[in-house]
Amino acid sequence: MSEYSRSPRQPRKKGSGSSGGPGGARRGGPAAARGGSGTKGRTGRPVAGGRSGGGGKSAGPRFAGSTKASQPTKLPDRKAAPEIDVHDPEGVRLQKLMAAGGVGSRRVCENLIEQGRVEVDGQVVTELGVRINPQTQVVHVDGVRVNLDEDRVYLAFNKPKGVVTTMHDELGRISLEDYVGNREQRLFHVGRLDADTEGLLLLTNDGDLAHRLQHPAYGVLKTYVATIRGPVQRDVGKRLREGVELEDGPVSVDSFRIVDHQPGKAMVEVVLHEGRKHVVRRMLEAVGHPVLELVRTEVGPIRLADLKSGRTRRLNKAEIGALYKAAGL
């Protein structure tokens, strides 16, 4: 049966249609030749909007969302987004900045612009002559932000146990200054790791990115691997996901799993976006499993991987773009 078949709510009356009955046109008659209602045109489909053979209301096809057979739904008017002039006559050519930012060769960047895959301050740019200010304007390629400022530094650091997370310690303890203090740029540490916790710490002079990565409102996940006293009770994961009450308020994990079992202890993975002081240690202790060792292995899309303790490495362009995306920049 055709998709244009009569609705079940409008049953065909006996003797109607093209059978030659009182309400229909005779087979081969003038109405049929003109393709009137109740007949099929030369294409085999009913002709929409025609009159019925009995002179009644139209029985044309119903349109989805319409209230009447002859009244299709009107689509709402959409206001076009206002165009923004992102061109800065005193700026640098867009394709040159993109190439310097590691997107690709100058020719590759020009192709990306012409294909409409580049945005400046949220505006799609397709002209090759556009100049912009890399200090104030933001560029995205295929939705991923490009770092245009060559003075910005993005480092991954494997903090050893016993190092305090500060650029200068008044008590003379070993701090981040002992590892990156000789750099020209003033670096921020993204969040903190207590002295007894080791693992991944991001360092940068991009203050806006650092703020977003460590603020819980932006939901950037941090992954920890903890060695705890065991055995682990079956309901620990459920309790942590539902939330536990600490002295400074409730807190919950985004993910929890057991990595390994050993006599008297276990290794677990904890993922959360909270950044409170000692939050992982306090949570695990609250459910009866004090932490023996703690390592942070991931911050958003950045992994510690095989980076040796006490060593730093520069993040590549793809990692920087992934961090911007995770932080909503």
Side-chain angles (χ1 to χ4, degrees), residues 96-207:
K96 180 178 179 180
L97 288 172
M98 289 170 57
V103 176
S105 67
R106 188 82 61 89
R107 183 56 187 162
V108 168
C109 295
E110 290 175 350
N111 289 337
L112 291 172
I113 294 172
E114 292 175 333
Q115 293 167 10
R117 297 164 62 182
V118 180
E119 293 182 1
V120 178
D121 293 342
Q123 184 75 33
V124 175
V125 175
T126 57
E127 298 180 6
L128 298 180
V130 171
R131 294 174 176 268
I132 67 169
N133 184 341
Q135 303 296 326
T136 60
Q137 294 181 277
V138 177
V139 174
H140 286 82
V141 178
D142 292 336
V144 178
R145 181 166 170 173
V146 180
N147 175 36
L148 302 178
D149 190 346
E150 297 181 354
D151 293 330
R152 288 184 176 177
V153 178
Y154 304 86
L155 301 175
F157 174 56
N158 188 349
K159 187 189 87 65
K161 189 175 182 178
V163 176
V164 294
T165 307
T166 180
M167 287 300 175
H168 177 71
D169 184 63
E170 297 179 352
L171 301 178
R173 294 172 295 181
I174 299 176
S175 68
L176 299 178
E177 183 181 30
D178 295 281
Y179 293 89
V180 295
N182 58 346
R183 292 182 174 271
E184 295 180 4
Q185 302 88 352
R186 179 173 177 265
L187 300 179
F188 307 96
H189 46 84
V190 179
R192 291 178 177 272
L193 293 176
D194 60 70
D196 292 330
T197 301
E198 53 190 309
L200 181 60
L201 189 66
L202 299 182
L203 305 171
T204 181
N205 58 351
D206 188 336

Side-chain angles (χ1 to χ4, degrees), residues 48-126:
R51 295 183 180 274
S52 63
K57 294 183 178 180
S58 170
R62 296 180 65 85
F63 295 85
S66 65
T67 57
K68 296 181 181 179
S70 60
Q71 183 182 352
T73 302
K74 180 182 178 181
L75 296 177
D77 296 332
R78 293 184 179 179
K79 296 181 179 180
E83 293 187 2
I84 303 174
D85 185 8
V86 297
H87 179 69
D88 183 351
E90 304 298 325
V92 183
R93 285 190 180 272
L94 178 57
Q95 58 265 42
K96 180 178 179 180
L97 288 172
M98 289 170 57
V103 176
S105 67
R106 188 82 61 89
R107 183 56 187 162
V108 168
C109 295
E110 290 175 350
N111 289 337
L112 291 172
I113 294 172
E114 292 175 333
Q115 293 167 10
R117 297 164 62 182
V118 180
E119 293 182 1
V120 178
D121 293 342
Q123 184 75 33
V124 175
V125 175
T126 57

